[in-house]
Amino acid sequence: MPRLRALALLIVAIVARGGHADVQRQAITCATAQSPAPVADPDLYCIDLLPPLAIDGVGGVARLVPPASPFGIAVSPAGEMLYDVLFDLRDLPAPSALGAYTTFVAWAAAPQMNPLIKLGEVRNGTTRLGRVNLDRFLLIVTAEPTVGAASLANPAALTGRIVLRGTSAAMRMQPHDLAFFLAGLLEQKAATGGGGDHAAHQQAPAHGDASWTQPPMHPDVAMPPAFMSLRPDVAPYRPAPEDAPLARPRELLRLRDGAAIDLVAAPVRRVLFGRTVTMLGFNGQYPGPLIEVAEASTIVVRFTNRTGFETAVHWHGLRLDNRFDGAPHVTQDPVPPGGSFTYRVFFPDAGIYWYHPHHREDVLQDLGLYGNLLVRSREPDYFAPANREEVLMLDDLLVAESGPVEHGREAPTHALMGRFGNVLLVNGEPRWEAAVPRGEVVRLFLTNVSSTRVFNLSFQGAARMKVVASDLSRYEREAWVENVTIAPAERYVVDVRFDAPGDVRLVNRVRAIDHIMARFFDETHELGVVRVSDRPAAPDHGPSFARLRPNASVVADIAKFRRHFDRPVDRELLVTLRAGDLPFPLRPLMSYESVYRNPVEWTGTMPEMDWVATGRQVRWTLQDRATGRENMEIDWRFKVGDVVKLRLVNDRGALHAMQHPIHIHGQRFLVLSVNGVPNENLVWKDTVLLPTGFVADVLVDVTNPGKWMLHCHVAEHIETGMRMVFEVNK
Ligand SMILES: [Cu+2]
């Protein structure tokens, strides 16, 4: 025995030594690279750079770093992810040692080497260069004779010798032929009675009800045939009665401090796409009434539930009295169908907020139960002057030829990605229109009320845009933007000046992925149009618009928290998924797809596959890293006055890793950093978008006592577990 043990130790020692020597020789890899700050998941956002065989000993890594953006995520108007590249290179020889070269230059290139982007000069150590906007790309470092003006003017002049190269994660995507055909074969097997038990169960009409409406296929993406016969394992729900009153567009309710209103959630009829459909509305309107109040006022809302589900109304973003927060089973009993509850709603902060049901949002909110709260500041020049205001609620709806696709009665459908609609709505309508004089400054109050879709909005035409505020406050300073990236539940206030006559289109533009064919493609939806006339705007706010305002009071407010910015993290949450018994062949196909995940899943390209996974099979989780506890088992306690540094980590290893908009009730927070990159223009938030594999540090200003929820705002994710409660004591 002792001899065996000695032998084992000897082997371990040899292996360890060998390993050590290897590490020294290979210099640095994404797996071994250390970073003092948190970094995004290396599998998606770090690229190993390796030398060709003829060059030995050189090594490096390139981290993809998000450039600063007021939206926390940097995206081009076309929906391309934008990255800076942080090179960390080791053991580069002198360029002249490789030939007649004087320098090293880094390049990013599409797989066909066109386009080719010259990033700039690199040397040993770290160099941050930018900017890459390619879906998938090669990184190349060459030894070059010169980096003079001539070669900069002609970026295609990659003439030197390749010293290092690597490939981005999306290069790993390959067409799915094997799985695709396998799925087709299985469908035939099931049809001839040879299917397994599970497949047979899934293909039986759910609950004897064959009336599910099949979601329409994506027009540009093929679907494996096996999916066409799958059904969700819950019953379809559609609102009744079909003779509900016809809904009317929302009304503006300007309410004084102390005013009382009734708010009734009930079925309504809508005419959409030439078809009459039954949906839901607050007070018979779409969206719900736009409630305008002054900062620091209180209103009384008598809510009545005439839907078929129990529910409650949540006042999103308001730091109000805990018992009126509208979180069923946390701050109140759910309001049963036919029941009522009276809320006292307090508005401590100016800005744009919204209200929506906080139970089965996947059904109730999706069918039209949402409305905005516009809280006016008492400061007269809180915002710069504008000629007009537009309050826009952005949504999507999943509609088939025969009408809207039903929702799951017992549990949500679309439990993985969330329900992506195939039509986009602004204030409940498929098209938004405005007519403005030339040079008008229009202030847009934007709220994303969709279940899961992140919008990437821009104007196509002569329009300039700046972002001035978000969830709970103005920014430290206004910023020019070309597009607005807005996740579910987030709000942004943007000022737009329409400079020249003509039509300016409001579009949502994103990069969609066809995982079956392993390709990216453009998806553009037109949401509306602004018709700009030749008549000049009066008054002309051009001069004030041209100036980016700093907001001294916001800077001063945030300055009080700066001493907490660099302190250690207090709590850490891992955002992940436990996928249970998914209908075959979902799991193998998803594992196959997971070779690459976009930071943001912008759109639903596999409607059948998304549809059939239900809340009975999927459990999304928030996991407390310190205790391992998950979701409602987490027991965090804070005191009023605490400042809590919270780290949110999006688990790239989850079977369906994707982005999550994380929302905290009743408090406000700052997004301090994303992937370790400090945020240089802060704003108070209640919702932060956490892209796939990203790490965000947020600082929570704990001011409001009570039991508060923290959850993902993808409607199907909160309904399938992704929520927790923390308690704040006085
Ligand atoms: Cu989520």
Side-chain angles (χ1 to χ4, degrees), residues 369-413:
L369 291 178
Y370 50 76
N372 266 133
L373 306 159
L374 181 54
V375 186
R376 298 289 183 189
S377 170
R378 295 184 184 265
E379 286 174 48
D381 62 345
Y382 183 79
F383 289 127
N387 296 94
R388 78 173 70 199
E389 295 175 331
E390 295 276 350
V391 180
L392 305 183
M393 304 196 95
L394 308 161
D395 194 9
D396 62 359
L397 194 66
L398 184 57
V399 186
E401 199 58 39
S402 57
V405 174
E406 297 80 10
H407 296 76
R409 183 180 291 278
E410 304 88 352
T413 60

Side-chain angles (χ1 to χ4, degrees), residues 47-383:
I47 297 172
D48 283 313
L49 299 174
L50 300 169
L53 278 176
I55 301 176
D56 199 26
V58 188
V61 297
R63 275 191 209 288
L64 305 182
V65 182
S69 156
F71 311 107
I73 177 167
V75 180
S76 75
E80 303 143 333
M81 294 302 306
L82 300 176
Y83 297 112
D84 284 352
V85 187
L86 187 65
F87 288 92
D88 187 350
L89 306 182
R90 308 281 170 88
D91 300 318
L92 283 169
S96 56
L98 299 171
Y101 304 116
T102 65
T103 187
F104 294 106
V105 174
W107 313 77
Q112 306 80 5
M113 298 298 281
N114 181 23
L116 176 66
I117 302 166
K118 181 179 227 154
L119 294 171
E121 271 189 286
V122 288
R123 53 187 65 85
N124 277 316
T126 57
T127 315
R128 182 168 172 161
L129 298 171
R131 188 140 299 160
V132 180
N133 67 334
L134 303 171
D135 295 323
R136 51 179 135 198
F137 53 93
L138 316 169
L139 284 179
I140 303 163
V141 175
T142 57
E144 294 287 336
T146 170
V147 70
S151 62
L152 279 173
N154 176 15
L158 187 161
T159 54
R161 180 171 173 189
I162 292 176
V163 179
L164 288 167
R165 67 270 199 275
T167 56
S168 77
M171 293 285 288
R172 295 194 297 252
M173 281 205 301
Q174 295 294 329
H176 264 39
D177 44 2
L178 180 64
F180 191 95
F181 287 118
L182 185 67
L185 287 173
L186 279 155
E187 187 217 17
Q188 286 169 17
K189 205 172 163 194
T192 56
D197 282 353
H198 190 82
H201 166 74
Q202 284 292 330
Q203 286 169 14
H207 300 253
D209 185 344
S211 61
W212 272 110
T213 301
Q214 192 110 344
M217 301 234 293
H218 192 284
D220 298 325
V221 180
M223 177 65 50
F227 285 108
M228 305 303 287
S229 56
L230 293 180
R231 295 290 177 274
D233 66 354
V234 290
Y237 165 78
R238 58 181 80 72
E242 278 160 24
D243 60 350
L246 201 60
R248 56 190 196 283
R250 75 167 173 212
E251 287 164 11
L252 172 64
L253 285 179
R254 283 208 174 93
L255 299 181
R256 267 205 278 250
D257 188 30
I261 59 162
D262 288 303
L263 191 68
V264 181
V268 292
R269 267 181 310 141
R270 290 288 317 274
V271 180
L272 275 174
F273 315 104
R275 207 181 292 114
T276 303
V277 297
T278 306
M279 294 179 65
L280 298 170
F282 280 119
N283 291 3
Q285 300 172 29
Y286 66 90
L290 170 57
I291 297 174
E292 185 181 325
V293 293
E295 180 185 350
S297 60
T298 300
I299 61 168
V300 175
V301 179
R302 292 179 299 254
F303 168 64
T304 303
N305 177 13
R306 301 213 184 283
T307 74
F309 288 86
E310 50 180 36
T311 194
V313 181
H314 172 53
W315 309 90
H316 187 114
L318 301 182
R319 298 188 289 167
L320 44 47
D321 192 342
N322 187 235
R323 58 202 160 120
F324 301 123
D325 189 47
H329 303 294
V330 178
T331 64
Q332 68 171 93
D333 290 330
V335 182
S340 301
F341 189 91
T342 299
Y343 296 92
R344 287 183 64 82
V345 185
F346 174 57
F347 302 91
D349 305 291
I352 186 78
Y353 302 86
W354 64 300
Y355 56 96
H356 62 83
H358 212 289
H359 184 63
R360 292 307 300 272
E361 288 103 304
D362 64 301
V363 185
L364 303 176
Q365 186 183 297
D366 196 47
L367 283 169
L369 291 178
Y370 50 76
N372 266 133
L373 306 159
L374 181 54
V375 186
R376 298 289 183 189
S377 170
R378 295 184 184 265
E379 286 174 48
D381 62 345
Y382 183 79
F383 289 127

Side-chain angles (χ1 to χ4, degrees), residues 48 85 104 120-121 137 242 274 292 326 334 362 399 403 442 468 508 518 556 562 595 626 640 646 659 670 699:
D48 283 313
V85 187
F104 294 106
E121 271 189 286
F137 53 93
E242 278 160 24
E292 185 181 325
D362 64 301
V399 186
V442 179
V468 302
N508 184 56
R562 289 209 175 259
V595 67
V640 168
L646 170 62
Q659 74 281 359
L670 299 168
L699 195 71

Side-chain angles (χ1 to χ4, degrees), residues 575 620 658-662 712-714 717-718 722:
V575 178
W620 285 97
M658 63 176 282
Q659 74 281 359
H660 302 276
I662 302 295
C712 175
H713 221 287
V714 172
H717 293 183
I718 182 175
M722 205 167 218

Side-chain angles (χ1 to χ4, degrees), residues 623-700:
Q623 186 188 88
D624 177 18
R625 294 269 225 174
T627 62
R629 290 190 186 195
E630 292 183 349
N631 295 340
M632 296 300 278
E633 297 166 0
I634 297 172
D635 181 27
W636 287 358
R637 281 152 204 272
F638 305 115
K639 287 199 305 294
V640 168
D642 283 353
V643 177
V644 177
K645 190 166 174 182
L646 170 62
R647 177 163 295 169
L648 301 166
V649 181
N650 183 322
D651 180 15
R652 185 271 178 271
L655 181 66
H656 187 101
M658 63 176 282
Q659 74 281 359
H660 302 276
I662 302 295
H663 170 47
I664 300 180
H665 286 213
Q667 320 291 336
R668 59 177 188 170
F669 62 78
L670 299 168
V671 181
L672 296 181
S673 70
V674 177
N675 299 338
V677 179
N679 182 357
E680 305 290 357
N681 187 10
L682 295 160
V683 62
W684 288 106
K685 299 279 292 171
D686 58 57
T687 305
V688 58
L689 177 64
L690 189 65
T692 312
F694 273 38
V695 184
D697 284 355
V698 305
L699 195 71
V700 188

